[in-house]
Structure formats: structure tokens, C-alpha cells
Amino acid sequence: GVEPDYALVKFKKLAGGGYFKIINELVPPALKRLGYTDNEIDDIVKYATGHATLIGCPHINPQTLAEKGFTSDVISQIEKSLPSIFDINFAFNKWTLGTDFCKNVLGFTDEQLDDFNFNMLKALGFTKEQIEEANEYVCGTMTIEGAPHLKESHYPVFDCANKCGKKGTRFISTDAHIKIMAAAQPFISGAISKTINLPNDASIEDMKHAYMLSWKLCLKANALYRDGSKLSQPLNSVSDDDLSETDSQELAEVMSKPNDIIRIAERIIHRYIAKRRRLPFRRKGYTQKAKIGNHSVYLRTGEYENGQLGEIFIDMHREGAAFRSLMNCFAISVSLGLQHGVPLEEFVDAFVYTRFEPNGVVVGNPNIKMTTSIIDYIFRELAVTYLGRNDLAHISPEDEMRTSPIDSISKLDNETDFEDEEVFSERFIDEPVSRSAEKNEVISQSQKVSITPEGTQIYSESSAFKGVSASQTTLLNSEYEKIREAKMKGYTGDICPSCGSLTMVRNGTCLKCTTCGETSGCS
């Protein structure tokens, strides 16, 4: 029922940690708006933030400290440090009081002063209750709950993300966090970076409820955090002394039951120190040759005894000296990374899909047919070979590869593997009549070839070419006719880098695609 204003809204946003500056700047205007007097506001603020002085402090004050040997200069040093601390124990240490004073006057040893668990006030004779009462006077309670003059009906105005201080019990509920975000979401194009705080006793069902409510209210994202779920967190509502005492009590209870299993939370830190694992002098690997945009690329690998990749070499002998040196240095740097333990997956993720010239069709690799750059091709090849990343290959190794019709025709024509031949000498070999007759009979039965006026070889459908049926022979004849027609049209068999068609024809010194008009770059 209270009319909100800027001070109240800003306080709700920033006061989650109970900071002195925020409370001193925002709480007074909010309390003024709620109808409290200046004196009442001053009492409420001092209850939450403390008096920041030992003057008038119960139990621990200049008089009681003077009785224990504290001089006026030392007490003055303590007074200067009080406004910046949130626990009175932090003001009593060797850095504030001085090592000589602590040893010569107070009588503490070096072991005590260097011990982080050493409590100087307890060692001086003050009880736990006296220290807590003095702490509330000097540093405050860190909460407005229980403050003098403040009405309980006004508590919700000052609720924070977490419980505040040792005495605080109130906090903004999970549903309230989500509903506040849902009210602002329609006016924001992106998601809201806002942590939804849950208490330490939150269950899995509470997490499910938070996600479901966020979805129902059309939030684009949420961030859930359960208090105390990390070994260290930036905001704690209690001091280390309280935590240590609580843990000690729980440990004592567990130790009293010898049959129970003690569960101890440990923080294990792994420190990785890079150390090179050298390859053996004689190692295995493979060499893969490929052509990318008329550039020959030789990729060579070196492996450890277990088959793990340890080094690569990249050779492009026709390139200039500068480019070749850069590629060699790049291969060396990758090899050193592999030998120092960098996973190959990291290199693949970093360099695949890089784009620069030369790029395009890949000739010579059974799995990779297109690439955006030489680096992209190299790491695709390594990923397919050593990581089994067939998603980066264009043809899976398991795919059935069919023989090209050109290869079948070539086999039937008994074409030689050599493009140019030169007859060096001739000689006649006399064979027995029976053997010659048998050979002629085999030839006549194996194939019958007729030559058309255009010079085309047509295989007879009635021939019984060793393992080739009549229907297969007809198919080969039609395929041969298509190949002849493609050659007459000038197709070179190259793949167009733009549309992927096999309709590239010679155009001057370059190639041109008759389907899309793309050229190889110089026409």
C-alpha cells in the first residue's frame, strides 16, 4: 500500500549486500517517504550500519582497552579503521596495532600473530557474548529487522535477495524474482541478466518450479543460484568464525557416531604444467596429395607409437618462398602444440571453415571434395583420419564407391595406362597352330566390335564378353555415347566452383561453365 518512488526501487536493486554506502544513501529517503522522523531514521540506520566508533561501545571501549595496556595512539589507529570494516575482530590484528606493540605490550608470540584463526579479543579476555554485543554496536546488525521504531508492515519494502546479517530472516522469494523479470521482459528485446537467488535448503523441485514459472511467464532466460552451492561465493551473510563454529559442531556430532561415514568436502586443484612429449626418431604416418585450385598440396603426418598424431608437414613446392615459409612455420607451431598436449579437436574447431585463396574443388582426396582454404582442407583431413569426424567429410568412407563408366569403357577397349607410346622394335613370334587357333577362338567368342563410319566402337549385344551380360553391354554402349557427346561439346570434366555442375568448357586459357557462366578467373 506504499506508493513506490525512485529511492525504494533503487534500494531493492542494490541493497542485497547490506553495503554501508547504499544504506546510508538510500534508506533515509525511503524511511522519510514512509513517514519516519529524522531521529527515528538515525536510530534505524545506526542499528543496521553501526556507530563506527568505540566511544560508548559496551564491553570493548577506550576505557577497557586502556586497562589492558592500549595507548591513545593505538586506540586512535583502531578508530580510523572502524568505518571500513564489517566485523570488529578485523580491527584487532598486527597490521593495525603494530607487531612490536602486540609482542612487547600484549605479550603475543609470532605463531599466534601469524595464525589466521587467532582471535585477539578472545585472547585478551573478552567473552563471545561481549564481542558480539560490541560488534553490533560498532558494525551494526547488517539488517533492518528488529530496528527500533520500524514497523513490521514496512519490512517488505527493504527485503533483499538473501538474508541480511546474522539476525536477518527475510528475503525476496524465487517467484517474486521471476515475476519482477516478467514485468520488464515485454519491453526488452533480449534476455535479462538477473540472478534468481534461492536459499540453501532449496530442492530440485524448487528448481523445476522456477524454470516452469519462467517459461510460463515468457522469460527468455534465467539464472538460478542456490546459496552456498559453491565452495566460495562473493557474498556471505555470516563471518568465517560463525562458519567454523557451525562446522565444528556438525563434525563433533558426526564423530560421536563412530559407525557413520564422515563426508568431507574437498577442493582439488589440478595445476597443468606443459611438458613436451617428443616423437620417436623413426615414426609412422602417411602422405596425402591433393589439388586445390590447380595448386598441389602434400600433407605428411608423424605419429606416436600408439597412432596418435604428433606432427604435420605441409609442402606446396610451386608457391613463393614467403608463402612456403609461412606454411612451414604454421605446421611447426601446430606440431609443437600437439606435442605439448593440445588436443587435435581444439585445432580442428579453430581452423575449419577458414576462407581464403586458393579454395574450391579438391582433387585427389577420397573423402573431401570441396574446401574453403588450404588450412580448412588440412584440418578436415586430419579430423576425418584421426578423430573419425565424418561430419566434416563430403563422402563417408563407408559409402559405396561406384566405378566410373569411363573406367569400364577403358577396360573394354583394352586402353593402355600410358598416354604416349613409341614403338622401339618389332619381332615375330612363331606359335604352334593349335595354340594360335585356340587364342583366335577365344577372341572371337569374347567380343565382337563393329566400327561405324564416324569411328565409334559399338559392342554387339549378342556378344558374351567374359562376365558381361547383354544388358550390361547395351548400358556401356549408351554410356560411351554420352561420353563421346560430352567431349564433342567441349566439356573437360571439371566441376564448376559456383554451381557444382560438370559443364566446364575451355575458354581461352581458362574454363567457363555453360550452366551459370562462372569462369575460373581470367576470362
Side-chain angles (χ1 to χ4, degrees):
V2 179
E3 181 181 357
D5 65 355
Y6 172 76
L8 295 181
V9 175
K10 191 173 181 181
F11 175 80
K12 277 182 172 294
K13 179 180 180 182
L14 300 177
Y19 300 106
F20 298 143
K21 183 177 179 181
I22 296 174
I23 294 179
N24 288 326
E25 290 183 359
L26 300 182
V27 170
L31 293 172
K32 191 76 173 180
R33 185 78 175 181
L34 294 173
Y36 293 93
T37 64
D38 292 340
N39 292 332
E40 291 174 339
I41 294 174
D42 185 61
D43 291 339
I44 295 173
V45 171
K46 286 184 177 179
Y47 173 84
T49 62
H51 294 75
T53 180
L54 293 177
I55 300 175
C57 177
H59 311 298
I60 303 175
N61 49 57
Q63 291 77 21
T64 58
L65 293 177
E67 295 175 359
K68 296 183 180 295
F70 283 76
T71 63
S72 58
D73 292 338
V74 175
I75 294 176
S76 177
Q77 286 294 114
I78 297 174
E79 285 285 328
K80 291 179 181 179
S81 65
L82 293 179
S84 61
I85 64 173
F86 68 91
D87 192 286
I88 193 173
N89 290 287
F90 293 165
F92 291 83
N93 52 63
K94 65 178 182 179
W95 295 282
T96 303
L97 307 180
T99 305
D100 294 337
F101 175 80
C102 294
K103 294 172 60 177
N104 301 330
V105 179
L106 301 181
F108 297 124
T109 63
D110 290 331
E111 290 76 14
Q112 290 176 310
L113 297 176
D114 294 335
D115 186 3
F116 289 102
N117 295 322
F118 176 64
N119 191 309
M120 187 175 293
L121 290 176
K122 288 185 178 179
L124 290 173
F126 296 102
T127 65
K128 178 182 177 182
E129 291 75 15
Q130 290 174 340
I131 297 174
E132 288 182 354
E133 188 175 350
N135 185 61
E136 290 184 2
Y137 178 87
V138 175
C139 299
T141 60
M142 300 291 180
T143 181
I144 52 91
E145 297 179 47
H149 317 300
L150 186 62
K151 301 177 183 178
E152 290 189 11
S153 59
H154 293 161
Y155 281 3
V157 176
F158 304 96
D159 283 345
C160 301
N162 295 299
K163 298 178 182 179
C164 294
K166 302 176 183 178
K167 297 182 178 180
T169 58
R170 298 179 58 86
F171 58 92
I172 300 175
S173 65
T174 305
D175 291 1
H177 280 285
I178 297 174
K179 291 178 180 179
I180 291 173
M181 296 168 61
Q185 185 66 83
F187 306 98
I188 302 174
S189 60
I192 302 173
S193 179
K194 165 75 174 69
T195 302
I196 301 172
N197 297 87
L198 287 88
N200 180 262
D201 57 355
S203 63
I204 297 178
E205 293 300 325
D206 295 331
M207 299 288 181
K208 291 181 180 178
H209 172 74
Y211 279 117
M212 182 60 69
L213 182 60
S214 300
W215 172 71
K216 289 181 178 179
L217 296 179
C218 299
L219 288 182
K220 295 184 178 180
N222 67 6
L224 303 182
Y225 179 73
R226 182 180 63 83
D227 183 39
S229 59
K230 290 185 176 181
L231 290 175
S232 62
Q233 59 186 31
L235 175 62
N236 287 305
S237 59
V238 294
S239 63
D240 293 339
D241 291 339
D242 298 323
L243 290 175
S244 61
E245 291 175 1
T246 303
D247 296 340
S248 300
Q249 293 176 0
E250 293 179 355
L251 183 60
E253 293 177 359
V254 174
M255 292 296 291
S256 63
K257 303 176 182 179
N259 295 329
D260 293 345
I261 298 176
I262 301 176
R263 303 181 62 186
I264 303 174
E266 295 181 349
R267 176 162 52 187
I268 302 174
I269 300 175
H270 295 277
R271 178 175 297 174
Y272 173 75
I273 300 177
K275 185 177 180 180
R276 185 178 180 183
R277 178 188 172 198
R278 294 184 179 275
L279 285 160
F281 287 99
R282 186 181 183 91
R283 53 257 201 181
K284 296 181 179 180
Y286 70 90
T287 301
Q288 174 68 52
K289 176 186 177 182
K291 276 185 170 288
I292 304 173
N294 294 327
H295 294 264
S296 297
V297 181
Y298 294 85
L299 173 64
R300 292 182 291 136
T301 65
E303 302 173 356
Y304 290 100
E305 294 86 346
N306 59 358
Q308 181 183 353
L309 179 64
E311 66 180 358
I312 63 172
F313 296 92
I314 305 171
D315 186 15
M316 298 180 66
H317 62 281
R318 290 186 179 179
E319 303 301 330
F323 187 86
R324 182 168 62 251
S325 298
L326 287 174
M327 294 300 293
N328 290 337
C329 292
F330 176 77
I332 292 173
S333 63
V334 172
S335 301
L336 289 175
L338 293 171
Q339 294 172 26
H340 279 83
V342 178
L344 179 59
E345 293 89 343
E346 297 296 330
F347 286 114
V348 172
D349 294 339
F351 294 114
V352 166
Y353 300 113
T354 54
R355 181 178 297 275
F356 58 85
E357 297 289 342
N359 55 23
V361 179
V362 178
V363 179
N365 192 293
N367 303 318
I368 303 170
K369 300 302 179 184
M370 294 287 292
T371 184
T372 57
S373 66
I374 294 175
I375 301 299
D376 172 71
Y377 160 74
I378 290 172
F379 285 97
R380 281 178 183 268
E381 164 62 25
L382 296 177
V384 172
T385 303
Y386 289 98
L387 302 179
R389 291 283 301 274
N390 294 329
D391 57 306
L392 296 177
H394 301 100
I395 298 178
S396 176
E398 291 80 12
D399 292 343
E400 182 180 359
M401 301 297 295
R402 296 185 299 174
T403 304
S404 170
I406 300 179
D407 299 335
S408 301
I409 295 295
S410 299
K411 290 179 180 179
L412 289 177
D413 290 344
N414 293 325
E415 294 182 357
T416 180
D417 293 336
F418 301 97
E419 296 181 357
D420 299 324
E421 293 180 348
E422 180 181 356
V423 179
F424 182 75
S425 64
E426 292 184 355
R427 64 175 179 170
F428 296 96
I429 299 177
D430 295 332
E431 294 184 356
V433 178
S434 59
R435 183 178 179 184
S436 177
E438 181 181 357
K439 181 178 180 181
N440 292 334
E441 183 178 358
V442 171
I443 294 176
S444 62
Q445 292 180 358
S446 62
Q447 65 175 5
K448 296 180 180 179
V449 182
S450 60
I451 307 299
T452 62
E454 293 82 4
T456 305
Q457 298 182 6
I458 303 298
Y459 296 88
S460 172
E461 296 182 2
S462 60
S463 65
F465 179 73
K466 216 165 190 180
V468 180
S469 63
S471 60
Q472 291 176 333
T473 305
T474 305
L475 177 62
L476 292 175
N477 286 331
S478 62
E479 294 291 344
Y480 187 89
E481 190 65 29
K482 292 179 181 178
I483 294 172
R484 176 177 171 275
E485 182 181 355
K487 289 183 177 181
M488 291 179 63
K489 291 182 178 180
Y491 295 144
T492 62
D494 295 291
I495 302 174
C496 176
S498 180
C499 66
S501 302
L502 292 168
T503 55
M504 300 291 287
V505 297
R506 182 65 59 182
N507 187 21
T509 59
C510 302
L511 300 177
K512 178 181 179 181
C513 179
T514 60
T515 301
C516 66
E518 179 73 16
T519 64
S520 59
C522 57
S523 61

